[in-house]
Amino acid sequence: MIRTEGIHKFFGALHVLRGITLEVARGDVLVIIGPSGSGKSTFLRCINLLVRPDEGRVFIDGVQVNRPEISPEWVREQVGMVFQSFNLFTHLTALQNVTLAPIRVKKLSKDKAEAKARELLARVGLAEKAEAYPAQLSGGQQQRVAIARALAMDPKAMLFDEPTSALDPEYIREVLDVMTNLARDGMTMIVVTHEMGFASSVASRIVFMDAGLILEEGPPAEIFEHPRNERTRAFVSKILR
Amino acid sequence: MTRKLGYARERLVRSVETILAVLIIIGVVAFIYDVMAGSRGLDIGYISANWLRYVRAVEINLSVTTISFVLGMGIGFLVGWIRTVRAPPIQKILQDFRQAEKQGRARGKPALVATLIASGLRHYVKRVADAYVEAIRGTPLFVQIIFAYTVITVSYPRLPGVEFFAGVVALTINTGGYQGEIYRAGLQTVHTGQVEAARAIGLSRWGAMRFVVLPQALRLVIPPLTNEYIGLLKASALLYYISLLEITFLSKQENYLGHPFESFALITGIFLLITVTLSRLIQYFEVKYRIPGLGIQAAPG
């Protein structure tokens, strides 16, 4: 479904990604953990080309997408993204946030887009908040709207960039529940998170990244209970404590 | 229902208040002039016989201001946008290239030349925009007006309506610079996360600008743009100096004909009427298009 080969990224002199090779099969949930600054977010952004990799190849459904002849807009229709800071459009209602791209990019009629948006909002438990503006919603509600907004484009896969780290603890549960349901429904997901409960119950695989490299990869039980790499062990012991 | 009625009533009260405020201001101004005019008193007969001439004259101020303001919007937006574009200086690009060469990942000389030309162009266009804004903000408008008039009359001595034309040119160039700063601030206040999110759901660069950044930035620039318009309208009075037959020119003439206080009473009254109405109107739109739940909002009532 999603495959990357030897992704390198430089920010000026900074070598942020040092050759990331990964594969995520359809319906898999890959969780990426690692200390801050290890390149997790940059790697996610390389997949939907919000950041262009300097070297290496990104494949979606077998098509190499980081080529000049493939428009980044097309890639972003295939892969939805959810951000740490929600980034809902502040001047639009929840409903309008969800319908914007279907109407403007997919050229769906307003009625069709709205019907679908209401369905999606109901799916994330926010049917009654359709007319609310982002500033009138709690963090958890905003993040759930953001998930609905990404789903509105019918993506084949979803990227989550620390979706719960900007949330008050009381709102984390509701967002994780939505994500868990999404995974159960068979969505292919790559999730950067430090929610170990979510990782161990939902992830098919866990990847530990540090300093732009993948240091260890395996099923949750293995990574959390028997990490082989020393740095993985140190990191896991810190966040599981 | 009662809520709606409440709003309508509130609006009525507010417009009555506005009209009252304007009348009181005019009354006070008239009184002050009356006092200054001393035993002679204000010649009400002159005012009632001539007010229409003043209104005609202020129409010239309004049209010069409006034309300049609209043209300045185009310039201002362009300048403001350019000033938000990131343009690394050439040295930085070369430095990055050398770094890349060392690490053996350089993309070759043609790619470097292309980047250099693209960002060099961007860099210098940006510099020009910066210089324009600084030059406009750093010199008196009065000087700019005389400069524009001089340049135009020297180049085209027989141009009909040269005062009007020169006035529009001077005010356009001036307001373009100030509006550039307004748009720059407006665009920069919109969080980069908004653009990233817009791009991530498949909008193009222009789509993100049009559907996400602009609607938010325009709301932010409404109040400063109103100030700019009002400021420009007041500044248009300076155009009497280049013999534009606008309201200050008329009033100066009437001074010589022996009606100084009446003519100043008229000019103040007319300007106040326009500016106060305008700022109230914009206030209304500001409230209407305010994003619910965002920012500090005045308590109702």
Side-chain angles (χ1 to χ4, degrees), chain B residues 121-136:
Chain B
L121 210 62
R122 237 191 279 174
H123 185 70
Y124 285 104
V125 167
K126 195 176 168 182
R127 279 295 182 80
V128 169
D130 290 347
Y132 167 62
V133 171
E134 292 306 331
I136 290 305

Side-chain angles (χ1 to χ4, degrees), chain A residues 10 45 76 88 90-91 135, chain B residues 105 194 196 199 211 291:
Chain A
F10 297 84
R45 282 167 171 72
R76 291 167 197 150
L88 286 185
T90 53
H91 62 299
Chain B
R105 57 175 181 89
Q194 297 279 315
E196 202 176 32
R199 303 281 280 150
F211 300 117
I291 300 167

Side-chain angles (χ1 to χ4, degrees), chain A residues 17-233:
Chain A
L17 297 177
R18 301 163 177 265
I20 305 284
T21 301
L22 257 185
E23 182 152 10
V24 185
R26 187 176 303 275
D28 267 6
V29 176
L30 179 79
V31 167
I32 305 178
I33 59 173
S36 55
S38 57
K40 302 172 305 240
S41 297
T42 308
F43 174 64
L44 274 195
R45 282 167 171 72
C46 281
I47 294 172
N48 68 352
L49 303 183
L50 280 179
V51 168
R52 284 230 162 227
D54 289 323
E55 257 172 63
R57 297 191 287 178
V58 180
F59 295 90
I60 291 170
D61 263 347
V63 183
Q64 191 196 339
V65 293
N66 60 331
R67 282 182 298 162
E69 56 273 30
I70 292 204
S71 88
E73 285 78 25
W74 180 82
V75 179
R76 291 167 197 150
E77 274 182 57
Q78 316 299 310
V79 188
M81 185 164 191
V82 173
F83 300 90
Q84 178 176 0
S85 49
F86 333 135
N87 295 346
L88 286 185
F89 307 131
T90 53
H91 62 299
L92 300 177
T93 61
L95 188 72
Q96 291 168 331
N97 262 281
V98 181
T99 57
L100 179 68
I103 292 175
R104 297 299 173 184
V105 180
K106 282 205 164 164
K107 309 290 178 201
L108 229 60
S109 75
K110 196 171 171 233
D111 290 345
K112 265 193 194 157
E114 279 188 359
K116 186 162 179 214
R118 286 188 192 280
E119 219 171 272
L120 284 168
L121 286 174
R123 192 165 156 198
V124 298
L126 289 171
E128 76 289 358
K129 293 287 184 187
E131 315 306 330
Y133 283 87
Q136 298 168 322
L137 298 173
S138 74
Q141 292 170 332
Q142 288 191 49
Q143 193 60 298
R144 286 188 281 153
V145 174
I147 294 173
R149 175 175 69 179
L151 290 175
M153 293 300 277
D154 292 320
K156 294 179 182 160
M158 289 274 283
L159 310 173
F160 293 85
D161 185 12
E162 304 205 26
T164 57
S165 6
L167 291 176
D168 288 336
E170 62 205 281
Y171 299 129
I172 291 177
R173 187 78 261 153
E174 60 193 55
V175 172
L176 291 180
D177 284 346
V178 167
M179 289 167 62
T180 307
N181 286 335
L182 204 56
R184 300 253 153 87
D185 292 345
M187 177 61 80
T188 311
M189 294 165 45
I190 302 183
V191 186
V192 172
T193 185
H194 293 144
E195 290 298 327
M196 292 308 133
F198 172 82
S200 49
S201 64
V202 180
S204 3
R205 260 186 318 145
I206 295 195
V207 160
F208 175 70
M209 260 178 85
D210 192 14
L213 281 170
I214 293 182
L215 293 187
E216 193 164 352
E217 191 176 341
E222 195 178 303
I223 298 279
F224 289 144
E225 282 149 40
H226 313 289
R228 276 165 292 149
N229 189 295
E230 199 181 310
R231 270 191 279 178
T232 319
R233 207 172 301 143

Side-chain angles (χ1 to χ4, degrees), chain B residues 226-287:
Chain B
T226 316
N227 282 343
E228 175 59 21
Y229 184 86
I230 289 173
L232 199 64
L233 178 68
K234 290 186 291 181
S236 72
L238 288 173
L239 296 176
Y240 88 90
Y241 190 77
I242 59 170
S243 314
L244 182 67
L245 300 176
E246 48 75 60
I247 193 165
T248 326
F249 192 88
L250 177 71
S251 128
K252 256 185 91 89
Q253 270 183 333
E254 297 297 300
N255 276 354
Y256 296 129
L257 297 178
H259 298 283
F261 298 113
E262 291 77 10
S263 96
F264 276 121
L266 273 166
I267 199 171
T268 344
I270 289 174
F271 265 115
L272 275 175
L273 206 63
I274 297 171
T275 52
V276 174
T277 324
L278 204 65
S279 60
R280 285 298 171 127
L281 196 73
I282 296 297
Q283 241 172 40
Y284 165 75
F285 281 115
E286 223 180 292
V287 172

